[in-house]
Amino acid sequence: MSETLELASKLIACNSVTPNDVGCQDLLEQELKEVGFKCRTLREGMYPTFNLLALHSVDPKANFEGDPTILKNNPGPYDASGFVAPGPFTIFLGHTDVVPAKESDWNSDPFSPTIKDGVLYGRGAADMKGSDAAMTIALKNFVKKHPNYKGTIGLLMTSNEEGDAVGGIPFVAEWLKKERLYPDFCIVGEPSSSKTFGDIIKIGRRGSMTAHITINGKQGHVAYPEQIDNACHKGAQLIAALLEKPLDNGNEDFPPTSFNVTNFNSGVGAENVAPGTCQIMCNWRFSPLQTPVKLQRRLEKTMEELGIYATVRYVINGLPFISSKDGQLVTALKAAVEHHTKVTPDLNTLGGTSDGRFIAPLGTQVVEFGPINATIHKANECVNVEDLETLTKIYEEALEKLHL
Ligand SMILES: [Zn+2]
């Protein structure tokens, strides 16, 4: 059994449903400490989320322990501890938590790693304990093979990616900012491949914004239409108006901005009562051609034109980001994927969000690359054992291209 497969299997055996880590990060820490990584667990208050940050450098300027004299020597607005991560600084980003599994839907115990016909089955095999293992073993191999590499390399893990991210990467990103530890490059091991292993590298993501709209009308008996102002009809009008015109046509890197109603709720349940309120929940996945405020203004203008009175609460889930196709990170990873898979990856920004969106605002180039995502969040989630070995080699080669 290879090191990557062995580690992936150990991780799958931990029942780490969000936001529990149940020892997964300890396993990764043990591996990395063997080759000299400095590890710390970052936690926000009493939240159950665990985050592991493991860093390594052979540069004598590196300081991952902090410097108690720093505040005395550098009084300033920052409450930094004196960490120094010489560049180039590459971080692998992953998560140890998984979505729940209903055992009766599975052919094997979802938390007992099972290998059958060259395929590893278990909850998290593809999303993303297989990648967690590949990233860790790649870092280990790289350090062992290249004792004089340049810069800083590291691993960042959270146990709250599948949940609300509270105490997770948003908290770590703030901590990194405070400590002025800004990664240049971030490789997220999320399962990006679609049909064939290696076919997609995600080089950015769309933004996501949700609106919770409550429309106010006037409730009344349907037999007296002149006395009512049907909130449900207003909601329908609003949705029709918002769907009418496309927001943009996207650009070379991003598909057009999409709008979707995710919930529509109105009425008291009686056959003869016209509803006085209507609740709509909707979401935009937007390209950099939009901003949250631009989308909000459009919604508000549409309501004004229709004479709709409503209260709206917005939730901005993430802003769009993109890493240049000609940038060092995309170039390095693409070449490594082509070398090991003989597949030319499509570079795109499709799909859902990931924790990469919290790291990109640090000025970091962020990409996502990992195994085939066909079985993620499903029963009998699995990953090809061979792909995990190749993935380890790809990550290792990307490090070589960026740090030698
Ligand atoms: Zn994931």
Side-chain angles (χ1 to χ4, degrees), residues 95 97 126-128 161-162 189-191 354 376-377:
H95 61 87
D97 59 322
D127 185 11
M128 58 173 283
E161 195 274 345
E162 302 289 6
E190 290 282 359
S354 84
I376 63 170
H377 295 211

Side-chain angles (χ1 to χ4, degrees), residues 28-40 52-57 64-65 89-92 135-144 149 152-156 399:
L28 304 177
E29 183 171 334
Q30 274 165 32
E31 293 286 340
L32 292 169
K33 271 189 169 164
E34 271 178 35
V35 291
F37 275 75
K38 296 276 184 282
C39 302
R40 65 179 57 233
L52 169 69
L53 179 66
L55 296 171
H56 189 279
S57 176
F64 304 139
E65 317 266 51
F89 178 10
T90 301
I91 199 123
F92 283 98
M135 297 189 290
T136 304
I137 300 302
L139 284 164
K140 242 180 121 174
N141 290 346
F142 178 79
V143 165
K144 280 193 272 188
Y149 77 92
T152 303
I153 57 175
L155 181 75
L156 174 58
L399 285 173

Side-chain angles (χ1 to χ4, degrees), residues 32-241:
L32 292 169
K33 271 189 169 164
E34 271 178 35
V35 291
F37 275 75
K38 296 276 184 282
C39 302
R40 65 179 57 233
T41 295
L42 298 165
R43 295 190 67 186
E44 183 175 15
M46 297 302 283
Y47 290 117
T49 306
F50 279 77
N51 307 286
L52 169 69
L53 179 66
L55 296 171
H56 189 279
S57 176
V58 293
D59 190 314
K61 292 192 292 299
N63 182 347
F64 304 139
E65 317 266 51
D67 175 357
T69 64
I70 189 86
L71 285 175
K72 221 178 350 178
N73 299 337
N74 289 316
Y78 303 106
D79 181 23
S81 313
F83 295 99
V84 180
F89 178 10
T90 301
I91 199 123
F92 283 98
L93 175 60
H95 61 87
T96 48
D97 59 322
V98 294
V99 293
K102 197 173 144 209
E103 203 182 329
S104 55
D105 293 341
W106 285 61
N107 297 331
S108 56
D109 176 355
F111 296 101
S112 298
T114 306
I115 300 166
K116 213 180 138 202
D117 302 325
V119 176
L120 170 64
Y121 291 87
R123 175 55 87 222
D127 185 11
M128 58 173 283
K129 291 176 169 178
S131 302
D132 294 342
M135 297 189 290
T136 304
I137 300 302
L139 284 164
K140 242 180 121 174
N141 290 346
F142 178 79
V143 165
K144 280 193 272 188
K145 275 187 214 164
H146 308 288
N148 297 312
Y149 77 92
K150 287 182 295 194
T152 303
I153 57 175
L155 181 75
L156 174 58
M157 283 285 151
T158 183
S159 69
N160 192 354
E161 195 274 345
E162 302 289 6
D164 54 13
V166 171
I169 300 303
F171 163 72
V172 177
E174 281 305 312
W175 184 87
L176 291 171
K177 224 192 291 181
K178 176 174 84 85
E179 300 296 353
R180 283 171 273 175
L181 288 170
Y182 300 110
D184 299 299
F185 311 117
C186 174
I187 300 175
V188 190
E190 290 282 359
S192 63
S193 298
S194 175
K195 293 194 174 67
T196 318
F197 175 55
D199 62 357
I200 293 175
I201 296 176
K202 306 225 192 247
I203 57 166
R205 290 289 186 149
R206 291 172 293 180
S208 166
M209 183 175 78
T210 297
H212 300 264
I213 306 168
T214 301
I215 295 175
N216 299 304
K218 201 170 152 205
Q219 195 186 43
H221 197 298
V222 293
Y224 302 94
E226 68 285 354
Q227 294 178 12
I228 58 182
D229 188 10
N230 192 317
C232 192
H233 293 184
K234 286 173 175 288
Q237 276 178 316
L238 177 63
I239 292 169

